Amino acid sequence: MQKGSMELLWSSSHISGGNAEYVEQMYETFLTDPNAVPEVWRNYFEKLPRVTEQVVRDIPHSPVREHFANLAKVKVRPSAAAASPVSDHERKQVRVIQLVSAYRQRGHQKAKLDPLNLWQRPPVADLDLHYHQLSDADRDTVFQTGSLFIGKDQATLGEIHEALERTYCGTVGAEFMHIVNTEERQWIQQRMESVRSRPEYGSDVKHHLLERLTAAEGLEKSLGSKFPGTKRFGLEGGESLIPMMDAMIQRGGAYGNKEIVIGMAHRGRLNVLVNILGKNPGELFDEFEGKARYQGSADVKYHQGFSSNVMTSGGEVHLALAFNPSHLEIVSPVVEGSVRARQDRRDDEVGDSVMPIVMHGDAAFAGQGVVMETFQMSQTRAYRTGGTVHIVINNQVGFTTSCPEDARSTEYCTDVAKMVQAPIFHVNGDDPEAVLFVSQLAVDFRQEFKKDVVIDLLCYRRRGHNEADEPSGTQPLMYAQIKQQKSTRELYAASLIEQGIVDKEGVDTMETEYRAALDEGKHVVKSLVMEPNSGMFVDWRPFIGHDWGAPGDTTFEEKRLRELANTINTIPEGFSLQRQVSKIYEDRRKMAAGATPINWGFAETLAYATLLEQDYAVRITGQDVGRGTFSHRHAVLHSQKDGQTYTPLKHVSENQPRFTIYDSLLSEEAVLAFEYGYATTQPNTLVIWEAQFGDFANGAQVVIDQFISSGEFKWQRLCGLTMLLPHGYEGQGPEHSSARLERFMQLCAEHNMQVCVPSTPAQVYHMLRRQMIRPMRRPLIVMSPKSLLRHKDAVSSMEELANGSFQTVIDEVDDLDKNKVKRLILCSGKVYYDLVDKRREHEKNDIAIVRLEQLYPFPYDRLKEVIAGYPNLKKVVWCQEEPRNQGAWYNSRHRILRVVHSFRPDKNLLLGYVGRDPSASPAAGYTALHIEQQTRFIHEALRLDTH
């Protein structure tokens, strides 16, 4: 504490003592005209926190003191004047205020945003003086400025109009009047109007901007000359992105951010890798030349991620660029999940320590639904990250589509962001100083209000969709202009030469030095930390190199297990439970005492409690997970008196790890992507996403295909995410029966993930514990039950939980004479209980039923061991409740055959299929048809008379 206090005093010593009066005078000047103070002080004052929620803008003290001094000189206070008619000047005063409001609302429609100058926009009537019944004759008339932040209370109409034009109709167009929060609107108004959206930057800042533009253009020229025609999805035409990213990182670091996580699609990715994250250009050249080393199947260079540390004025900052497939925008929620995991690791509930920056393409931002889902998540308890800075790299064309009537139904590609009242700053990419201004403004807004903010970087694409594409066939006018358009660097260099800040020789030297550094394979990011602080990121080494056979002891001392069982069933005194919930907890207390067997919900809860006891955190999200879709979990309790909630698993022990459980918004794609991002960042947390019904995972198929099943082998990204997908045929129709097991089985290869179908409470208990206790981190896909949650036979004992383990194969449990067994049925999931009930009813004791609890990786050795126990087998059949073309059959048949054929080859043991016929639909829509189908195949499997 003492050290922290001393550091605070030391950091503020420059504004204390003899400097106080000087600093106060400078602050007074800043409040009136920010451009009138040195840039370093302007930056300092801009980042000062608000004192209260109500104060959005400080006011100079000198006018206040002067006002009271004048009052003291007035000896007789005049009486209130009688009411008088409204004067013409007063009417015009109102119209001036309306004019100010019009510019704030619609100035962006007049702004000079298009660097190609091709936009044809109709005049905005609201911005004309005559619309407000004002004219040039009023320009010299003095009016009150009202809420206009131009440093004075009164100004001529000409001054007011000029200030509005410069602020809102220059190369920055701001949309913020849709925001209902007055403080946020006034904050933006003050920041923009006080400097007319054009802060005065020093020559060193301008020189740095030129250097960053030179780097951006230099890399593209180098790659273009070395590897002509090779796809690289270059940044040419959007080079201002590099100084923008540089400014944001430095600004974020100055605020004390320790990590910045970046997401982006392929355009400009190589440039960001080299010029922002500091990837060695020599490594990039090796990738182009095919010399790079890789593991697994790898991925193209413009999908690759990277991480590094850079130095800022606020200290070292860890940068992480997320890996991303070509499914545009899907990386956004992945980044958010990674950021939330990092914030949780730092116990950052606000979002001060880790900042997300996500880049988008204009066409994808307007067209992809996951953008809306991600915005909708941004302020929810489960998924908020303290605000995201969004950058739209607006090429004004999507592949070959550039006609706005085809690309979207909104004015701007960014209009979707208005749904969460995010401010949107459109900026002309050919004005680097305007780009710098909005970059700093966006980070400041995020830091101040912890909300999303959007920058629309208006630029162009000098090449086609890729470097081998010819775009003039579909955009002839645009590319005719682009061919004669000077680059952003050229335009800015000419401007600085004209200002006398640099000369032609200095510009050429800057370009030559950068190109030489590239050719020599040197790092070109000057702020790069060559020996990064390893404490800033997670050490994944303990989890590398393990396969699914890695040992994991899931036993747990029985006495302590019973103690935990009692702890998580203890409800605070006076907490009023709903009647059915109270009965569930009463039953669980009996289970803890050993009076009744343990059911599914209690075993699952005990798995979480024991993991928390062993220092593993747990995070569960999904629709209705607090209660559970089928009312089996009730991990979050709701008081019937006052609506307060209580989560027993948050009270396992005093210093336990974090237990997080949240009901999600009604989204699958963005939510599952978020949890993937979280799981790839936090290996010591059991991360679970539960679908309301298993087939709802359809909506997240991109995440499953591009990340969960293949991320490790494309990008070497380990992930221990667990998916609980309710699955089972119980007559509920096509949409609530199947979790589409066959799709997951088709994706299985190279031991990339686990697919399990547990059939007992003990199995789910050990399966969940094994997922964390084993050092391996790979996805776990679970076909979880519905009716089995309360099935009378789907129970386990406390001893099975304490002393057992997860069984990949469960042998016959009835006391059959194995020598007399002629037929063996293999199955998974709920159908086992249907089969065993009917077998017991008909006493078919020559048929054994064996459960495959892990379908992948396939348990060859264990299944072979089980089958070997039946020496007189004639036939093995696979029985499933799914249609033949679905379920596990087609993707497991060859694996089962391998085991069956290895059993006494001289016997030529046969393998058969029993189940529903092939079907285009997952399940029958009518209960009667469902029962008829199930009765038929159950009888066929057991060789019963169907009549």
Side-chain angles (χ1 to χ4, degrees):
M1 181 65 71
Q2 183 178 5
K3 180 181 178 183
S5 301
M6 289 304 296
E7 286 178 349
L8 184 62
L9 290 171
W10 179 259
S11 66
S12 61
S13 62
H14 60 287
I15 61 172
S16 306
N19 293 334
E21 184 177 353
Y22 169 75
V23 173
E24 184 175 354
Q25 289 176 354
M26 194 177 307
Y27 187 53
E28 293 263 326
T29 304
F30 166 79
L31 293 172
T32 303
D33 181 7
N35 276 333
V37 301
E39 185 181 344
V40 64
W41 282 104
R42 185 172 72 228
N43 287 336
Y44 179 83
F45 292 142
E46 283 175 348
K47 290 186 284 187
L48 289 176
R50 289 175 295 161
V51 178
T52 70
E53 289 298 314
Q54 287 72 41
V55 178
V56 294
R57 178 212 182 192
D58 206 348
I59 58 173
H61 292 177
S62 52
V64 178
R65 289 195 294 265
E66 184 180 343
H67 175 70
F68 278 99
N70 291 334
L71 283 179
K73 297 175 184 178
V74 178
K75 295 182 179 180
V76 180
R77 188 179 296 273
S79 59
S84 59
V86 177
S87 68
D88 183 58
H89 183 272
E90 288 171 323
R91 290 191 185 95
K92 289 185 176 181
Q93 176 67 66
V94 173
R95 293 167 190 155
V96 169
I97 300 303
Q98 291 173 337
L99 177 69
V100 171
S101 178
Y103 267 91
R104 287 169 173 170
Q105 292 186 57
R106 302 196 63 188
H108 59 89
Q109 294 177 311
K110 189 181 176 183
K112 305 169 187 68
L113 301 177
D114 179 14
L116 300 176
N117 201 28
L118 294 176
W119 283 13
Q120 300 294 324
R121 308 188 82 179
V124 184
D126 305 37
L127 306 184
D128 188 271
L129 290 177
H130 295 89
Y131 179 88
H132 298 280
Q133 298 179 28
L134 298 168
S135 69
D136 289 341
D138 300 308
R139 283 190 173 276
D140 293 330
T141 305
V142 176
F143 294 98
Q144 297 290 324
T145 57
S147 64
L148 190 62
F149 295 89
I150 60 172
K152 50 175 131 178
D153 296 330
Q154 295 181 333
T156 65
L157 176 61
E159 290 176 306
I160 292 171
H161 188 247
E162 181 191 14
L164 292 171
E165 280 282 326
R166 289 172 57 194
T167 301
Y168 294 112
C169 300
T171 51
V172 175
E175 291 187 274
F176 61 91
M177 294 300 284
H178 57 277
I179 300 174
V180 299
N181 186 299
T182 302
E183 296 168 36
E184 294 174 21
R185 290 200 314 274
Q186 289 184 343
W187 185 93
I188 294 170
Q189 291 164 11
Q190 188 273 327
R191 287 294 301 276
M192 296 187 67
E193 292 166 1
S194 62
V195 295
R196 314 296 192 269
S197 297
R198 194 78 184 179
E200 293 180 4
Y201 293 111
S203 58
D204 55 337
V205 173
K206 295 179 179 182
H207 194 274
H208 182 70
L209 279 173
L210 180 60
E211 185 276 325
R212 291 286 78 201
L213 288 171
T214 301
E217 184 179 297
L219 179 68
E220 299 299 343
K221 284 184 174 179
S222 176
L223 293 176
S225 62
K226 283 183 168 69
F227 313 104
T230 304
K231 283 186 183 181
R232 66 177 190 274
F233 296 98
L235 192 57
E236 292 163 291
E239 291 92 346
S240 285
L241 176 68
I242 297 305
M244 174 179 281
M245 287 296 297
D246 178 73
M248 287 183 177
I249 291 166
Q250 291 298 321
R251 196 77 161 189
Y255 276 117
N257 282 286
K258 301 303 179 187
E259 296 183 79
I260 295 176
V261 185
I262 304 165
M264 68 181 300
H266 39 274
R267 184 158 315 282
R269 193 181 191 91
L270 302 183
N271 214 306
V272 169
L273 280 167
V274 171
N275 286 319
I276 295 297
L277 283 95
K279 180 172 182 173
N280 190 305
E283 295 178 10
L284 180 63
F285 297 154
D286 284 349
E287 291 171 6
F288 272 95
E289 293 169 357
K291 298 176 183 177
R293 295 180 180 180
Y294 57 87
Q295 293 178 310
S297 56
D299 201 351
V300 293
K301 48 192 166 291
Y302 39 81
H303 290 171
Q304 297 294 334
F306 197 78
S307 63
S308 64
N309 286 23
V310 297
M311 188 57 67
T312 71
S313 62
E316 196 170 337
V317 175
H318 179 65
L319 305 180
L321 175 64
F323 294 83
N324 186 43
S326 281
H327 283 269
L328 304 178
E329 301 302 330
I330 193 61
V331 78
S332 301
V334 174
V335 165
E336 302 296 342
S338 179
V339 169
R340 178 62 176 259
R342 295 165 195 264
Q343 291 172 346
D344 285 352
R345 190 170 70 237
R346 295 175 178 275
D347 292 322
D348 177 7
E349 301 286 346
V350 179
D352 285 333
S353 63
V354 189
M355 179 173 69
I357 299 176
V358 181
M359 287 168 265
H360 315 262
D362 50 312
F365 198 68
Q368 294 290 302
V370 72
V371 175
M372 182 280 294
E373 292 184 29
T374 308
F375 272 122
Q376 196 67 274
M377 294 163 67
S378 64
Q379 292 297 317
T380 61
R381 291 188 303 160
Y383 309 108
R384 62 187 172 210
T385 56
T388 300
V389 180
H390 298 270
I391 304 169
V392 178
I393 306 173
N394 192 340
N395 297 310
Q396 307 184 62
V397 57
F399 207 152
T400 63
T401 304
S402 59
C403 180
E405 289 86 349
D406 298 330
R408 56 184 181 270
S409 298
T410 54
E411 181 176 11
Y412 296 110
C413 63
T414 52
D415 283 355
V416 65
K418 293 177 182 177
M419 64 179 284
V420 292
Q421 298 178 47
I424 302 165
F425 301 108
H426 309 278
V427 61
N428 188 319
D430 268 357
D431 186 348
E433 291 179 27
V435 169
L436 175 60
F437 170 63
V438 297
S439 302
Q440 295 174 337
L441 184 64
V443 173
D444 292 350
F445 180 89
R446 185 265 176 189
Q447 199 68 22
E448 183 74 28
F449 297 105
K450 296 297 183 285
K451 291 185 177 179
D452 285 31
V453 56
V454 177
I455 295 176
D456 181 17
L457 179 62
L458 272 297
C459 50
Y460 55 91
R461 193 183 67 194
R462 191 168 288 276
R463 311 296 171 189
H465 177 68
N466 58 63
E467 285 66 27
D469 187 38
E470 175 48 60
S472 59
T474 50
Q475 277 77 35
L477 298 182
M478 176 183 285
Y479 278 88
Q481 174 61 37
I482 289 173
K483 284 179 181 178
Q484 56 184 332
Q485 182 91 359
K486 289 185 177 180
S487 72
T488 307
R489 184 198 66 84
E490 291 174 312
L491 293 171
Y492 193 56
S495 173
L496 296 189
I497 290 172
E498 185 179 344
Q499 296 174 46
I501 293 174
V502 296
D503 55 25
K504 180 67 167 59
E505 183 180 351
V507 171
D508 293 342
T509 299
M510 189 181 291
E511 191 174 2
T512 302
E513 288 178 351
Y514 180 82
R515 185 64 178 263
L518 284 184
D519 292 340
E520 293 169 17
K522 294 180 179 178
H523 293 282
V524 292
V525 175
K526 296 176 182 177
S527 59
L528 185 67
V529 178
M530 302 309 294
E531 295 183 7
N533 177 5
S534 61
M536 299 184 74
F537 41 86
V538 171
D539 182 7
W540 280 83
R541 286 176 297 180
F543 307 99
I544 294 173
H546 300 286
D547 204 351
W548 71 282
D553 183 3
T554 59
T555 61
F556 196 86
E557 202 271 318
E558 187 172 341
K559 179 183 177 184
R560 180 56 183 154
L561 184 60
R562 292 187 184 277
E563 291 173 355
L564 288 176
N566 288 322
T567 298
I568 61 176
N569 282 318
T570 302
I571 311 301
E573 188 175 347
F575 195 92
S576 177
L577 291 178
Q578 191 262 351
R579 182 173 56 84
Q580 285 94 333
V581 178
S582 180
K583 177 65 166 58
I584 288 172
Y585 271 76
E586 181 183 335
D587 290 344
R588 288 182 179 179
R589 284 188 282 272
K590 293 177 182 177
M591 296 174 198
T596 57
I598 292 172
N599 66 12
W600 198 281
F602 191 38
E604 180 192 337
T605 304
L606 278 172
Y608 304 141
T610 55
L611 287 172
L612 292 167
E613 177 82 354
Q614 292 178 273
D615 211 30
Y616 295 103
V618 177
R619 175 183 169 88
I620 309 171
T621 67
Q623 297 150 22
D624 313 308
V625 293
R627 186 199 77 167
T629 301
F630 310 102
S631 297
H632 80 286
R633 185 173 292 122
H634 286 286
V636 180
L637 305 176
H638 299 262
S639 171
Q640 301 300 294
K641 289 182 179 179
D642 55 15
Q644 294 292 312
T645 62
Y646 179 76
T647 306
L649 284 165
K650 291 185 177 181
H651 304 277
V652 172
S653 60
E654 186 175 349
N655 297 312
Q656 70 174 69
R658 185 188 300 265
F659 177 79
T660 303
I661 184 165
Y662 287 116
D663 294 338
S664 75
L665 68 160
L666 201 65
S667 156
E668 286 82 35
E669 185 175 22
V671 167
L672 183 58
F674 186 102
E675 300 306 337
Y676 172 84
Y678 196 106
T680 57
T681 309
Q682 196 73 303
N684 289 312
T685 298
L686 175 63
V687 182
I688 296 175
W689 177 73
E690 181 177 58
Q692 191 178 66
F693 286 90
D695 57 312
F696 288 9
N698 280 352
Q701 197 64 47
V702 170
V703 185
I704 296 165
D705 291 348
Q706 299 295 333
F707 291 96
I708 293 172
S709 66
S710 58
E712 179 182 353
F713 293 86
K714 290 191 295 186
W715 311 315
Q716 290 76 58
R717 298 296 293 165
L718 298 179
C719 172
L721 176 66
T722 296
M723 295 175 63
L724 300 181
L725 307 176
H727 173 89
Y729 282 60
E730 290 136 351
Q732 295 190 53
E735 271 68 61
H736 294 99
S737 298
S738 174
R740 308 305 301 226
L741 170 62
E742 62 280 357
R743 294 183 180 172
F744 293 96
M745 295 302 296
Q746 183 190 38
L747 293 170
C748 289
E750 301 180 279
H751 291 179
N752 59 332
M753 57 187 182
Q754 309 152 86
V755 179
C756 295
V757 192
S759 61
T760 72
Q763 282 288 87
V764 75
Y765 170 87
H766 289 291
M767 176 192 69
L768 291 172
R769 284 180 50 72
R770 182 182 74 161
Q771 182 67 354
M772 292 310 295
I773 290 172
R774 282 195 306 188
M776 184 192 74
R777 291 292 177 267
R778 281 182 178 156
L780 170 61
I781 313 301
V782 183
M783 300 292 112
S784 55
K786 295 178 289 181
S787 62
L788 291 194
L789 297 172
R790 293 176 180 81
H791 195 286
K792 62 181 177 59
D793 293 329
V795 292
S796 301
S797 67
M798 188 66 78
E799 290 73 23
E800 288 177 296
L801 270 61
N803 303 315
S805 63
F806 181 73
Q807 304 297 309
T808 57
V809 180
I810 299 180
D811 198 358
E812 172 62 60
V813 296
D814 286 358
D815 187 20
L816 302 181
D817 185 345
K818 292 188 175 184
N819 289 313
K820 294 182 179 179
V821 170
K822 302 293 191 294
R823 185 177 177 89
L824 187 143
I825 300 174
L826 288 174
C827 64
S828 289
K830 182 190 73 70
V831 72
Y832 164 77
Y833 291 95
D834 299 324
L835 287 165
V836 79
D837 284 348
K838 191 63 67 173
R839 187 195 64 187
R840 288 168 180 168
E841 177 187 340
H842 290 272
E843 298 182 350
K844 300 287 288 186
N845 295 329
D846 62 341
I847 300 176
I849 305 173
V850 173
R851 284 168 275 179
L852 270 178
E853 301 277 294
Q854 178 173 292
L855 293 170
Y856 192 84
F858 195 82
Y860 291 103
D861 293 339
R862 175 59 182 149
L863 182 59
K864 184 175 180 180
E865 178 185 338
V866 168
I867 291 180
Y870 301 90
N872 297 312
L873 275 182
K874 299 293 185 185
K875 188 170 185 178
V876 176
V877 297
W878 170 260
C879 181
Q880 66 179 38
E881 53 188 356
E882 301 89 354
R884 184 174 187 140
N885 59 314
Q886 299 170 36
W889 172 241
Y890 279 145
N891 286 286
S892 297
R893 177 176 53 182
H894 63 289
R895 299 184 176 106
I896 299 172
L897 268 173
R898 175 176 154 186
V899 175
V900 168
H901 288 168
S902 70
F903 174 72
R904 297 185 58 185
D906 58 304
K907 287 244 179 182
N908 195 25
L909 192 60
L910 300 175
L911 174 65
Y913 166 85
V914 175
R916 285 180 167 84
D917 292 335
S919 172
S921 174
Y926 292 99
T927 303
L929 179 57
H930 160 77
I931 293 173
E932 176 187 327
Q933 291 175 344
Q934 180 161 303
T935 300
R936 180 193 58 77
F937 77 74
I938 293 293
H939 281 232
E940 182 183 347
L942 295 169
R943 298 189 299 184
L944 300 174
D945 187 356
T946 57
H947 300 290

